[in-house]
Amino acid sequence: MLGQMMNMELTVNSLIDHAARYHGDAEIVSIGTDGNPSRSDWATVSERSRQLASALRTAGYVQGDRCATICWNNVGHLECYLGISGGGMVCHTINPRLFPEQLVYVINNAQDKVIFFDKTFLTIVSNIRDRLETVEKFVLMSEPDEEIAAQFPGLLFYEEFLQRGTPNANWPEIAENQASSLCYTSGTTGNPKGVLYSHRSTVLHALVAAQPDALNLSARDVVMPVVPMFHVNAWGVPYITAMVGAKLVLPGPGLDGQSLVKLIDSESVTIALGVPTIWQGLLSALDELGSSAQSLKRTVIGGSACPPSMMSEFRGKYGVEVVHAWGMTETSPIGTVNALLSKHNTLSEEGRNKIRESQGRPPYGVQLKIVGEDGHQLPEDGIAQGNLRIRGHWVVADYFGVEPNQTLEEDGWFETGDVASINDDGFMTIRDRSKDIIKSGGEWISTVELEGIAMGHSAINEAAVVAASHDKWDERPILLAVKIPDANITEEELLAHYQGKVAKWQIPDRAIFVEGLPRNATGKVLKNKLRSEYGEVLVSKPAS
Amino acid sequence: MLGQMMNMELTVNSLIDHAARYHGDAEIVSIGTDGNPSRSDWATVSERSRQLASALRTAGYVQGDRCATICWNNVGHLECYLGISGGGMVCHTINPRLFPEQLVYVINNAQDKVIFFDKTFLTIVSNIRDRLETVEKFVLMSEPDEEIAAQFPGLLFYEEFLQRGTPNANWPEIAENQASSLCYTSGTTGNPKGVLYSHRSTVLHALVAAQPDALNLSARDVVMPVVPMFHVNAWGVPYITAMVGAKLVLPGPGLDGQSLVKLIDSESVTIALGVPTIWQGLLSALDELGSSAQSLKRTVIGGSACPPSMMSEFRGKYGVEVVHAWGMTETSPIGTVNALLSKHNTLSEEGRNKIRESQGRPPYGVQLKIVGEDGHQLPEDGIAQGNLRIRGHWVVADYFGVEPNQTLEEDGWFETGDVASINDDGFMTIRDRSKDIIKSGGEWISTVELEGIAMGHSAINEAAVVAASHDKWDERPILLAVKIPDANITEEELLAHYQGKVAKWQIPDRAIFVEGLPRNATGKVLKNKLRSEYGEVLVSKPAS
Ligand SMILES: Nc1ncnc2c1ncn2[C@@H]1O[C@H](COP(=O)(O)OP(=O)(O)OP(=O)(O)O)[C@@H](O)[C@H]1O
Ligand SMILES: Nc1ncnc2c1ncn2[C@@H]1O[C@H](COP(=O)(O)OP(=O)(O)OP(=O)(O)O)[C@@H](O)[C@H]1O
Ligand SMILES: [Mg+2]
Ligand SMILES: [Mg+2]
């Protein structure tokens, strides 16, 4: 027996329609590639994204066609998000920081037909253009510019391209299981893999992400996604803010601490979202500028483990709540969010902070488990650690462009590549990537924990722990650390800092000071690079 | 091109599974029919509801079978909710306050096969038993009791019936469009009409209801639904609290103010939901008991218009936020919730209160419009008033058991039977039911507004305004008012209270003091009764 309720589709266009009608004058503040701010609102973004969908249709594109973007977080990018998906095409957001070979790979793999890109990326696009097999149109996000046009034969200009469409044109009918957007993983552990989101998965993800125990977004929030719109759809923020009608602040290319602080203060940002490295810069800038980030209530931190010292600085010094979250491109991305339970009220502040350090618990809609090497489920007692698996409404089923039924495990779950423990309340702690964890004399050592301790030292800015080969123990941890400018610290002092914080046998064998850490396109440390450079430092050299 | 995300169904069992795993020890406090509290938790409720589903299966029931409940808000009722729907059967919640004829009508109309009922309703069920055409099993919500069994041949007892099932049995596979539950309208304007919810509509409604700008529920909330579980699924609270893992306080039969105040204080309730008449009693009791309702942060008020005076008393005297909401059985029920926008920050407190008095704006997932008699859409300028129509994911498409395609209007929208205005931000104000609005000399007069003013007078407890026939003006408003005990007020004084608050021609022609107002099963005033009793008081009597 079927229910007798209205059948409607969960689509991206219904999100923008809601924002346009009920929050039409809520602002979208956007920093352009030239560093200048502009102001729009949801009504205008709706009108222009409908026009974009119509322009694409006029240009001959049909539902399912991939249209790519290489843009900063700005209002033009937002219009592309909504116009492309709303029009039934697939919005493929590309990370401009990928290496040129990776860029060529993902564009050809996705079979993109159009690329919308910001001026900043003109040279990048120009340089790879000849190797792109399917792209028919290159659209620069700007007013027409003859000088640029002369350098790039056939180049189209966004404002001109828009004119081919009807403002406020009707959306097409879209079924909720149709693809809405495509994003590739960060390429930390290999070639980026494509994840093809559906309208339904995007809307369900947004419905959950807005909840009090997730990102907790209302129409009274001013939301600044620092996490790039080319990285897992800026964690869904464009969709979620449309759904709840929040004001959106898009910081454009200026992701340095000072620019962000100024924007937070001038636009009264209440919640900002980004990866830990970004917040490191922000915290220094707050100090330098003497800002107290008055309006800021929460930062959501994910993408890499948030060092405990960062949480206490935000909370203790600025009264800013830190919400630690974990996710992946493959999970839209929200997998867990750290929101305390009632029973944690009875803990000491220290006890609560310990819980806040974990990556949190899954919201309704996703489930987690950890398994051993043989695929057997492990106990969720906060101690056992194993390979983390996930399933849920917004979790990948098949990677884009690979054989079907190759992506999931036999049990139908997705294996994350992360090693984690889960406690009996379901709070999950990432111990490591399975490729990064250190196996020393049969025992596992979490590099994430060792890095967090190093970053808690006042002289240390960045830290990475990797495995180095060892004659006796097979692998031993070594620490690569970047000092804060002008800091004075010796290897011995830094290693002494671990005393009493972890078991003796977990303390790194060496601390090596370096100028910087190699990072990939989303700011994650490339540990394979570090391993190939430093992996042999502990091995006794043969007498030469 | 389809997205490549996991395909999972949005089902009621996935809600209880989430609660059991991630919030297993969050408490369910329940007041029994004997007035005594009991304590359970989500893990136990999950275990027992799975057992109930299994017992129903063992007894031969199959997916789609209607199983009814006639129960208070208590943990047994919660187990029925989840066990019946989770097992694929349809949970039909029946309002025990319906007249016997209405009870017989809805049970036969629904073709219920089983009825689970509380001891309180033994006589009611016993009395109508012979007229029930489809019911095979009567299950009393209690341990076996020989004395009762002797009086009611064939009676089953819940705790015994449960034993026929396996605790923690597996749920069956359920498709999200299957029916999950059935509820009839309150019968304010005619015979109750059945609305058949689906698993999908129930889950989507819960996802939206939990959001910050709707009920704003988190795992740290203690939620007390005073609105009955036999009235639109207690506004979805059982599902929403399972989804977010809140503590649930179920007040059982004691809905008087004093019982509620004691429960709020002893269980640290943070949010309570109910109709205005309930809160009237609560406010008096707070005063009498000298409680400040310390833990209470919000009350959600709907079902009838919330008098402005009630809002200011909650907010001003107790610091309790009042969230005014509008909905119907046909809309699951959330249609609008009043949550302010950023721009309202710049208003005076008085200006904000004015906005809070309206029924609020629709969340993502539903849309509203107002139309004139000819079905043409009216402007949304806060002034024009017309017939309110709604559509959305959790809005009825066909009433249960009536011919298909008879329920919606030609445009595919559902006509609510309410008359409303909508302002440009989408805030909707209910002016009246279309059957209740007064048409005086061609002008419309809102009875809701006039009632709110009367209830703002310190001597008045309850008020209803209805149309009385009038020789010249066709219809004129008259006020029926119930004084608070021992209050002294004359008709003239009460009418004078309207001066300056509404236009002169809107002031009622008479104020008549009555002992009480006739109300229906959900506590709504039966205006048709009042009209037939008082409708002729203004007509000049023929000289006899
Ligand atoms: N809060 C967090 N704490 C620790 N690690 C995190 C956190 N959030 C995300 N991560 C890491 O980021 C990964 C997901 O990142 P993303 O999808 O951007 O690509 P990637 O895994 O870095 O790249 P690739 O899959 O191409 O190697 C997770 O699997 C996890 O290792
Ligand atoms: N906040 C509110 N303010 C004013 N009226 C409200 C509010 N909330 C609900 N209502 C009224 O309640 C109605 C829905 O009530 P419900 O579904 O319980 O049955 P009913 O309409 O009273 O009964 P029936 O449809 O059988 O006559 C709405 O149509 C509206 O008239
Ligand atoms: Mg990965
Ligand atoms: Mg009705």
Side-chain angles (χ1 to χ4, degrees), chain A residues 28-158:
Chain A
I28 317 287
V29 179
S30 168
I31 308 298
T33 50
D34 56 4
N36 290 326
S38 70
R39 307 186 99 80
S40 182
D41 57 31
W42 285 111
T44 310
V45 165
S46 163
E47 186 182 318
R48 286 169 56 92
S49 55
R50 282 167 176 263
Q51 186 170 12
L52 176 59
S54 155
L56 284 166
R57 218 155 39 229
T58 307
Y61 296 105
V62 299
Q63 297 201 6
D65 280 345
R66 268 79 72 209
C67 303
T69 59
I70 312 184
C71 301
W72 298 112
N73 288 13
N74 56 38
V75 68
H77 204 175
L78 184 64
E79 291 166 9
C80 289
Y81 257 61
L82 301 167
I84 295 170
S85 300
M89 292 83 181
V90 177
C91 181
H92 172 203
T93 51
I94 298 176
N95 188 333
R97 299 192 192 121
L98 292 176
F99 307 116
E101 305 70 55
Q102 288 179 317
L103 280 174
V104 171
Y105 168 77
V106 302
I107 295 171
N108 289 337
N109 189 257
Q111 301 176 281
D112 294 323
K113 295 201 168 161
V114 185
I115 302 183
F116 296 90
F117 60 103
D118 275 340
K119 260 188 198 158
T120 322
F121 310 117
L122 191 62
T123 318
I124 293 180
V125 176
S126 187
N127 285 342
I128 59 171
R129 179 175 187 178
D130 289 347
R131 284 179 280 163
L132 305 182
E133 293 159 7
T134 54
V135 180
E136 301 163 352
K137 287 192 172 52
F138 295 89
V139 186
L140 188 69
M141 300 302 290
S142 81
E143 297 284 352
D145 181 321
E146 287 190 17
E147 215 170 306
I148 299 178
Q151 295 163 37
F152 196 120
L155 186 67
L156 300 175
F157 294 90
Y158 183 66

Side-chain angles (χ1 to χ4, degrees), chain A residues 194-497:
Chain A
V195 181
L196 191 65
Y197 308 104
S198 68
H199 283 265
R200 173 178 161 114
S201 72
T202 303
V203 174
L204 289 177
H205 179 265
L207 279 165
V208 165
Q211 307 225 340
D213 277 349
L215 308 186
N216 192 14
L217 296 186
S218 83
R220 291 166 307 291
D221 274 307
V222 180
V223 188
M224 181 169 78
V226 184
V227 51
M229 290 168 72
F230 52 73
H231 181 215
V232 214
N233 302 319
W235 299 350
V237 168
Y239 309 116
I240 309 163
T241 48
M243 174 178 278
V244 305
K247 169 176 166 180
L248 197 49
V249 177
L250 301 169
L255 302 180
D256 59 293
Q258 298 227 353
S259 304
L260 295 176
V261 168
K262 286 178 192 154
L263 208 48
I264 289 170
D265 287 341
S266 64
E267 297 297 335
S268 302
V269 168
T270 60
I271 170 171
L273 308 91
V275 298
T277 39
I278 287 289
W279 301 129
Q280 203 103 28
L282 184 98
L283 286 169
S284 317
L286 283 171
D287 219 29
E288 285 154 32
L289 296 173
S291 164
S292 64
Q294 193 57 46
S295 61
L296 197 65
K297 292 191 212 139
R298 272 164 298 138
T299 54
V300 179
I301 305 192
S304 306
C306 178
S309 51
M310 182 175 281
M311 291 199 188
S312 42
E313 192 169 349
F314 266 119
R315 191 183 309 272
K317 215 160 146 188
Y318 300 102
V320 172
E321 184 78 14
V322 170
V323 180
H324 196 194
W326 166 86
M328 311 176 69
T329 309
E330 292 92 334
T331 66
S332 297
I334 293 181
T336 60
V337 187
N338 198 312
L340 297 186
L341 300 172
S342 280
K343 63 172 153 193
H344 297 140
N345 281 337
T346 59
L347 295 178
S348 65
E349 187 60 21
E350 202 185 339
R352 268 195 296 278
N353 283 343
K354 202 72 216 147
I355 290 164
R356 289 187 180 116
E357 287 170 15
S358 89
Q359 274 76 6
R361 55 187 169 86
Y364 171 77
V366 288
Q367 294 160 270
L368 298 177
K369 68 176 178 182
I370 46 175
V371 300
E373 288 308 324
D374 56 358
H376 258 76
Q377 192 167 353
L378 297 174
E380 303 187 347
D381 54 9
I383 296 162
Q385 49 189 356
N387 296 318
L388 182 67
R389 292 187 182 176
I390 187 169
R391 72 169 171 189
H393 294 276
W394 46 91
V395 175
V396 70
D398 283 305
Y399 282 118
F400 181 75
V402 310
E403 292 281 290
N405 305 319
Q406 298 299 304
T407 303
L408 303 184
E409 303 303 309
E410 268 178 21
D411 55 7
W413 292 58
F414 175 74
E415 173 116 11
T416 61
D418 289 328
V419 173
S421 62
I422 301 177
N423 78 10
D424 47 0
D425 292 322
F427 281 70
M428 183 274 286
T429 302
I430 294 281
R431 302 290 174 184
D432 234 318
R433 301 217 182 215
S434 55
K435 291 184 182 172
D436 292 340
I437 203 158
I438 297 171
K439 283 146 200 154
S440 176
E443 297 285 347
W444 286 8
I445 299 176
S446 156
T447 64
V448 174
E449 191 180 359
L450 298 179
E451 288 158 3
I453 293 171
M455 284 192 274
H457 194 292
S458 58
I460 301 302
N461 219 345
E462 300 174 49
V465 172
V466 296
S469 308
H470 193 279
D471 290 340
K472 180 165 175 202
W473 302 111
D474 211 15
E475 287 181 2
R476 287 295 301 158
I478 58 166
L479 167 66
L480 291 314
V482 182
K483 297 183 197 176
I484 66 160
D486 305 324
N488 242 329
I489 183 171
T490 66
E491 173 166 9
E492 274 191 343
E493 284 164 353
L494 183 49
L495 292 178
H497 178 65

Side-chain angles (χ1 to χ4, degrees), chain B residues 362-438:
Chain B
Y364 170 78
V366 288
Q367 295 159 268
L368 299 177
K369 67 176 178 185
I370 45 175
V371 301
E373 290 306 327
D374 56 357
H376 258 75
Q377 192 167 353
L378 296 174
E380 304 187 346
D381 54 9
I383 297 161
Q385 48 189 357
N387 295 318
L388 183 66
R389 292 188 180 175
I390 186 168
R391 71 169 171 189
H393 295 277
W394 46 90
V395 175
V396 70
D398 283 305
Y399 281 119
F400 181 75
V402 309
E403 292 281 289
N405 305 320
Q406 298 300 304
T407 303
L408 303 185
E409 302 304 309
E410 267 178 21
D411 56 5
W413 292 59
F414 175 74
E415 174 115 12
T416 61
D418 289 328
V419 173
S421 62
I422 301 177
N423 78 8
D424 48 359
D425 292 322
F427 281 70
M428 183 272 286
T429 302
I430 295 281
R431 302 289 172 184
D432 234 319
R433 300 214 184 221
S434 54
K435 292 184 181 171
D436 292 340
I437 203 158
I438 298 172

Side-chain angles (χ1 to χ4, degrees), chain B residues 110-373:
Chain B
Q111 301 176 282
D112 294 323
K113 297 201 167 161
V114 185
I115 302 183
F116 297 91
F117 61 103
D118 275 341
K119 261 188 196 155
T120 322
F121 310 116
L122 192 60
T123 319
I124 292 182
V125 176
S126 189
N127 286 342
I128 60 172
R129 178 175 188 177
D130 289 344
R131 286 180 279 162
L132 304 182
E133 294 159 6
T134 54
V135 179
E136 301 163 353
K137 288 193 170 54
F138 294 89
V139 186
L140 187 71
M141 300 302 290
S142 82
E143 296 284 350
D145 180 321
E146 287 189 17
E147 214 170 305
I148 300 179
Q151 295 163 35
F152 196 121
L155 186 67
L156 300 175
F157 294 90
Y158 182 66
E159 292 300 335
E160 221 168 44
F161 184 74
L162 258 193
Q163 299 310 315
R164 304 191 190 177
T166 318
N168 256 330
N170 283 336
W171 295 124
E173 292 289 316
I174 293 177
E176 64 184 29
N177 286 318
Q178 276 179 235
S180 60
S181 62
L182 173 65
C183 183
Y184 283 71
T185 61
S186 297
T188 311
T189 61
N191 241 341
K193 294 147 280 182
V195 181
L196 191 64
Y197 308 103
S198 68
H199 283 265
R200 174 180 161 114
S201 72
T202 303
V203 174
L204 289 178
H205 179 264
L207 280 165
V208 164
Q211 306 226 341
D213 278 349
L215 308 186
N216 192 14
L217 296 184
S218 83
R220 290 165 309 289
D221 274 308
V222 181
V223 187
M224 181 168 78
V226 184
V227 50
M229 289 169 73
F230 51 72
H231 180 214
V232 214
N233 302 320
W235 300 350
V237 168
Y239 310 116
I240 310 164
T241 48
M243 175 179 278
V244 305
K247 170 175 167 180
L248 198 49
V249 177
L250 300 170
L255 302 180
D256 60 292
Q258 299 228 353
S259 303
L260 294 177
V261 168
K262 286 178 192 153
L263 208 47
I264 289 171
D265 287 342
S266 66
E267 297 298 336
S268 303
V269 168
T270 60
I271 169 170
L273 306 91
V275 298
T277 37
I278 286 290
W279 301 130
Q280 204 103 28
L282 184 97
L283 284 169
S284 319
L286 283 172
D287 219 27
E288 284 154 33
L289 297 174
S291 164
S292 63
Q294 192 58 45
S295 60
L296 197 63
K297 290 189 216 145
R298 272 165 297 139
T299 53
V300 180
I301 306 192
S304 305
C306 178
S309 51
M310 183 175 279
M311 289 198 190
S312 42
E313 192 168 349
F314 266 121
R315 193 186 307 273
K317 213 159 147 189
Y318 300 102
V320 172
E321 185 76 16
V322 170
V323 180
H324 196 194
W326 166 87
M328 312 177 67
T329 310
E330 292 92 333
T331 66
S332 297
I334 293 181
T336 60
V337 187
N338 198 312
L340 297 186
L341 302 172
S342 281
K343 62 173 154 193
H344 297 141
N345 280 336
T346 59
L347 296 177
S348 65
E349 188 60 20
E350 203 185 335
R352 268 194 296 277
N353 283 343
K354 202 74 215 144
I355 290 165
R356 289 187 179 116
E357 287 170 15
S358 89
Q359 274 75 6
R361 54 188 168 86
Y364 170 78
V366 288
Q367 295 159 268
L368 299 177
K369 67 176 178 185
I370 45 175
V371 301
E373 290 306 327

